[in-house]
Amino acid sequence: MRPDITDRADLDRLLRRFYAAAFADPLIGPYFTEIAGLDLEAHLPHITDFWERALLRGAEYRRDAFAPHAGLHRRRPMTAEHFGRWVQLWRASVDGLYRGERAERAKAQGERIALAMLRRTSGAATDGGAGGFVPLAAVLLRGRPAPPAVPSNPPGPIA
Protein backbone atom coordinates (compact mmCIF):
# COMPACT_ATOMS: atom_id res chain seq x y z
CA MET A 1 0.00 0.00 0.00
CA ARG A 2 1.33 3.41 -0.97
CA PRO A 3 1.52 6.16 1.66
CA ASP A 4 0.00 9.62 1.31
CA ILE A 5 2.05 12.77 0.79
CA THR A 6 3.05 13.96 4.25
CA ASP A 7 6.07 16.26 4.06
CA ARG A 8 8.53 18.17 1.93
CA ALA A 9 10.67 15.07 1.36
CA ASP A 10 7.64 13.36 -0.21
CA LEU A 11 7.14 16.35 -2.49
CA ASP A 12 10.81 16.33 -3.49
CA ARG A 13 10.55 12.64 -4.40
CA LEU A 14 7.35 13.24 -6.37
CA LEU A 15 8.72 16.24 -8.24
CA ARG A 16 11.92 14.44 -9.18
CA ARG A 17 9.89 11.53 -10.54
CA PHE A 18 7.59 13.89 -12.45
CA TYR A 19 10.38 15.98 -13.97
CA ALA A 20 12.33 12.89 -15.02
CA ALA A 21 9.26 11.84 -17.02
CA ALA A 22 8.53 15.36 -18.28
CA PHE A 23 12.10 16.01 -19.45
CA ALA A 24 12.08 12.71 -21.37
CA ASP A 25 8.64 13.25 -22.91
CA PRO A 26 8.79 13.97 -26.66
CA LEU A 27 5.85 16.39 -26.53
CA ILE A 28 6.59 18.56 -23.51
CA GLY A 29 10.23 17.70 -22.80
CA PRO A 30 11.58 20.32 -25.22
CA TYR A 31 9.83 23.07 -23.25
CA PHE A 32 11.92 22.16 -20.23
CA THR A 33 15.18 21.17 -21.89
CA GLU A 34 15.48 23.30 -25.04
CA ILE A 35 13.22 26.34 -24.67
CA ALA A 36 13.49 27.05 -20.94
CA GLY A 37 16.82 25.29 -20.40
CA LEU A 38 15.56 24.48 -16.92
CA ASP A 39 18.23 23.77 -14.31
CA LEU A 40 16.17 21.42 -12.18
CA GLU A 41 18.49 21.46 -9.18
CA ALA A 42 18.31 25.27 -9.01
CA HIS A 43 14.59 25.43 -9.65
CA LEU A 44 13.39 22.44 -7.60
CA PRO A 45 13.37 24.24 -4.22
CA HIS A 46 10.97 26.85 -5.65
CA ILE A 47 8.70 24.25 -7.21
CA THR A 48 8.72 22.33 -3.94
CA ASP A 49 7.79 25.54 -2.08
CA PHE A 50 4.83 25.96 -4.44
CA TRP A 51 3.52 22.44 -3.85
CA GLU A 52 4.29 22.54 -0.11
CA ARG A 53 2.16 25.68 0.14
CA ALA A 54 -0.62 24.16 -1.99
CA LEU A 55 -0.79 20.75 -0.31
CA LEU A 56 0.74 21.04 3.15
CA ARG A 57 0.08 24.73 3.86
CA GLY A 58 3.73 25.00 4.79
CA ALA A 59 6.26 26.99 2.84
CA GLU A 60 5.94 30.55 1.69
CA TYR A 61 5.62 30.94 -2.04
CA ARG A 62 5.64 34.48 -3.37
CA ARG A 63 6.71 33.94 -6.96
CA ASP A 64 4.58 34.42 -10.06
CA ALA A 65 4.04 30.84 -11.28
CA PHE A 66 2.38 32.08 -14.46
CA ALA A 67 5.16 34.37 -15.76
CA PRO A 68 7.61 31.63 -16.84
CA HIS A 69 4.80 29.77 -18.63
CA ALA A 70 3.70 32.91 -20.42
CA GLY A 71 7.28 33.45 -21.57
CA LEU A 72 7.50 29.90 -22.89
CA HIS A 73 4.16 30.30 -24.65
CA ARG A 74 5.40 33.44 -26.40
CA ARG A 75 8.45 31.55 -27.64
CA ARG A 76 6.56 28.39 -28.69
CA PRO A 77 2.77 28.29 -28.15
CA MET A 78 1.47 25.63 -25.81
CA THR A 79 -1.81 23.91 -26.60
CA ALA A 80 -4.38 21.82 -24.75
CA GLU A 81 -2.38 18.79 -25.86
CA HIS A 82 0.72 20.08 -24.04
CA PHE A 83 -1.15 20.86 -20.83
CA GLY A 84 -3.02 17.57 -21.09
CA ARG A 85 0.27 15.68 -21.30
CA TRP A 86 1.55 17.60 -18.27
CA VAL A 87 -1.56 16.50 -16.35
CA GLN A 88 -1.16 12.92 -17.55
CA LEU A 89 2.45 12.74 -16.39
CA TRP A 90 1.64 14.51 -13.12
CA ARG A 91 -1.18 12.11 -12.29
CA ALA A 92 0.93 9.08 -13.20
CA SER A 93 3.77 10.36 -11.01
CA VAL A 94 1.46 10.91 -8.04
CA ASP A 95 -0.27 7.55 -8.51
CA GLY A 96 3.06 5.74 -8.82
CA LEU A 97 4.19 6.90 -5.39
CA TYR A 98 1.27 7.98 -3.22
CA ARG A 99 -2.32 7.29 -2.33
CA GLY A 100 -4.56 9.25 -0.02
CA GLU A 101 -6.30 12.56 0.53
CA ARG A 102 -3.28 14.75 -0.28
CA ALA A 103 -2.36 12.65 -3.30
CA GLU A 104 -5.89 13.13 -4.64
CA ARG A 105 -5.67 16.85 -3.89
CA ALA A 106 -2.32 17.02 -5.73
CA LYS A 107 -3.89 15.47 -8.83
CA ALA A 108 -6.93 17.75 -8.72
CA GLN A 109 -4.77 20.81 -8.11
CA GLY A 110 -2.51 19.84 -11.01
CA GLU A 111 -5.50 19.67 -13.36
CA ARG A 112 -6.82 23.03 -12.13
CA ILE A 113 -3.41 24.62 -12.63
CA ALA A 114 -3.06 23.18 -16.14
CA LEU A 115 -6.52 24.40 -17.14
CA ALA A 116 -5.83 27.85 -15.69
CA MET A 117 -2.48 28.06 -17.50
CA LEU A 118 -4.13 27.01 -20.75
CA ARG A 119 -6.89 29.57 -20.28
CA ARG A 120 -4.43 32.36 -19.48
CA THR A 121 -1.97 31.57 -22.27
CA SER A 122 -4.53 30.97 -25.01
CA GLY A 123 -7.43 33.09 -23.82
CA ALA A 124 -9.68 30.08 -24.38
CA ALA A 125 -12.60 29.16 -22.18
CA THR A 126 -11.97 25.75 -20.63
CA ASP A 127 -15.15 25.24 -18.68
CA GLY A 128 -17.11 23.46 -21.38
CA GLY A 129 -19.66 26.28 -21.47
CA ALA A 130 -20.97 28.04 -24.55
CA GLY A 131 -18.11 28.62 -26.94
CA GLY A 132 -15.61 26.98 -24.59
CA PHE A 133 -14.03 23.58 -24.44
CA VAL A 134 -12.49 21.17 -22.03
CA PRO A 135 -9.25 19.70 -23.39
CA LEU A 136 -9.70 16.06 -24.35
CA ALA A 137 -6.67 15.09 -22.32
CA ALA A 138 -8.23 16.62 -19.20
CA VAL A 139 -11.50 14.77 -19.79
CA LEU A 140 -9.65 11.50 -20.28
CA LEU A 141 -7.70 12.06 -17.10
CA ARG A 142 -10.79 12.51 -14.96
CA GLY A 143 -10.88 8.80 -14.31
CA ARG A 144 -11.32 7.45 -17.81
CA PRO A 145 -8.50 5.48 -19.41
CA ALA A 146 -6.70 7.11 -22.29
CA PRO A 147 -7.11 5.51 -25.68
CA PRO A 148 -4.18 3.37 -26.83
CA ALA A 149 -1.48 5.18 -28.74
CA VAL A 150 -1.58 4.80 -32.49
CA PRO A 151 1.86 3.95 -33.90
CA SER A 152 3.10 6.45 -36.45
CA ASN A 153 4.37 3.62 -38.66
CA PRO A 154 1.90 0.76 -38.29
CA PRO A 155 3.38 -2.68 -38.88
CA GLY A 156 2.69 -4.04 -42.37
CA PRO A 157 -0.67 -4.32 -44.12
CA ILE A 158 -3.69 -5.55 -42.26
CA ALA A 159 -4.92 -8.87 -43.71
Side-chain angles (χ1 to χ4, degrees):
M1 185 163 172
R2 293 180 309 267
D4 201 358
I5 298 167
T6 60
D7 58 22
R8 189 174 177 93
D10 291 340
L11 292 172
D12 182 79
R13 182 174 175 219
L14 170 60
L15 290 164
R16 287 180 186 280
R17 181 182 183 120
F18 167 75
Y19 280 101
F23 277 38
D25 186 79
L27 181 63
I28 66 171
Y31 283 91
F32 297 104
T33 59
E34 296 167 21
I35 301 167
L38 184 67
D39 176 355
L40 186 59
E41 291 307 314
H43 197 58
L44 195 59
H46 305 297
I47 302 167
T48 307
D49 286 348
F50 174 86
W51 284 104
E52 185 176 6
R53 176 76 180 131
L55 298 176
L56 305 175
R57 308 291 187 236
E60 288 296 319
Y61 183 82
R62 292 207 167 105
R63 293 173 166 251
D64 180 357
F66 177 69
H69 297 88
L72 289 173
H73 183 73
R74 282 190 299 274
R75 291 173 69 192
R76 185 181 299 169
M78 295 180 285
T79 67
E81 184 180 15
H82 295 105
F83 288 105
R85 179 66 57 84
W86 186 96
V87 170
Q88 185 178 34
L89 295 173
W90 178 249
R91 290 178 65 93
S93 297
V94 173
D95 285 341
L97 295 172
Y98 302 107
R99 180 177 177 183
E101 181 182 326
R102 285 191 182 123
E104 290 304 312
R105 195 169 357 136
K107 292 185 293 185
Q109 183 72 8
E111 185 176 321
R112 281 191 297 274
I113 290 166
L115 289 170
M117 292 284 183
L118 174 63
R119 186 173 43 252
R120 289 185 70 187
T121 56
S122 69
T126 57
D127 60 3
F133 70 96
V134 175
L136 176 60
V139 171
L140 293 174
L141 293 169
R142 288 184 180 142
R144 298 178 189 95
V150 177
S152 56
N153 294 321
I158 299 175

